[in-house]
Amino acid sequence: MTSFEGRVWLMGDDIDTDIIMPTEYLVYKTIDEMKPYAFSPLRPELAGKIADGDIIVAGNNFGCGSSREQAPEVVKALGIKCVIAKSFARIFFRNAINNGLLLIENADLYDAMVKANAEGKTIKVTVNENIEFDGKTYPIVSLPDNLVEIINAGGLVKAMRKRNGID
């Protein structure tokens, strides 16, 4: 199974797509142009601090709001390796998978990290197995093979091109 470590950025409950990618910046033509404004209504400095391989850990209902595809695209473009939350809005969940962004649901990690004031700390994720933080292991539910295939390929279109022998 694939394992990786990453520095954590903590987010709360109900982080909606207007916080992830504010409407006024959708006028830009590319995701790269939009990246500096990700999360700006909540934390204007955050996009500039995120590095490749970082991880977002959030509360309930991450990605609620409109179904704009730019929200998971910009999270991935910032270099976020995965988002771990208590729960995800269903449309955001599917849009993220279709764009190759790994999402993991876990009911306990966020509260433990908030209690430990752990933003900036490193956690280890073993995909489809568990998360390790502060000497404790948090089990995670396995994603179905077809979703793992999509994530590993970098998104739905890339997965289908690979499956059909186009790439």
Side-chain angles (χ1 to χ4, degrees):
M1 231 4 94
T2 303
S3 293
F4 56 87
E5 292 185 358
R7 177 179 58 165
V8 169
W9 297 99
L10 292 173
M11 301 271 170
D13 292 331
D14 303 314
I15 301 299
D16 67 28
T17 55
D18 286 326
I19 290 172
I20 299 168
M21 189 67 261
T23 306
E24 61 266 28
Y25 302 111
L26 296 176
V27 297
Y28 292 112
K29 293 185 188 314
T30 69
I31 291 297
D32 281 339
E33 290 174 298
M34 295 178 200
K35 282 185 348 185
Y37 308 103
F39 303 104
S40 60
L42 184 65
R43 297 177 67 178
E45 79 294 347
L46 185 60
K49 292 182 176 182
I50 291 174
D52 280 346
D54 285 356
I55 297 169
I56 291 175
V57 176
N60 287 305
N61 207 22
F62 189 91
C64 59
S66 68
S67 64
R68 69 179 59 137
E69 198 166 314
Q70 295 90 342
E73 284 181 312
V74 79
V75 172
K76 186 177 177 189
L78 285 168
I80 294 294
K81 184 72 174 173
C82 75
V83 179
I84 303 166
K86 289 183 177 186
S87 65
F88 294 93
R90 292 297 109 192
I91 292 173
F92 179 86
F93 186 90
R94 195 62 222 198
N95 280 339
I97 297 297
N98 287 346
N99 282 287
L101 176 62
L102 176 62
L103 302 183
I104 298 171
E105 288 188 341
N106 181 277
D108 302 316
L109 180 65
Y110 174 74
D111 292 334
M113 295 200 83
V114 168
K115 185 176 180 181
N117 194 24
E119 183 164 276
K121 301 275 173 102
T122 299
I123 61 174
K124 181 179 179 183
V125 175
T126 302
V127 177
N128 283 349
E129 288 186 18
N130 61 52
I131 303 160
E132 296 174 35
F133 165 65
D134 201 24
K136 296 180 185 163
T137 301
Y138 298 83
I140 54 178
V141 176
S142 294
L143 289 171
D145 291 342
N146 65 320
L147 297 186
V148 173
E149 176 190 2
I150 292 168
I151 292 165
N152 287 340
L156 180 62
V157 171
K158 290 178 182 176
M160 293 303 100
R161 291 179 64 83
K162 183 177 178 182
R163 184 183 283 183
N164 292 307
I166 298 170
D167 287 339

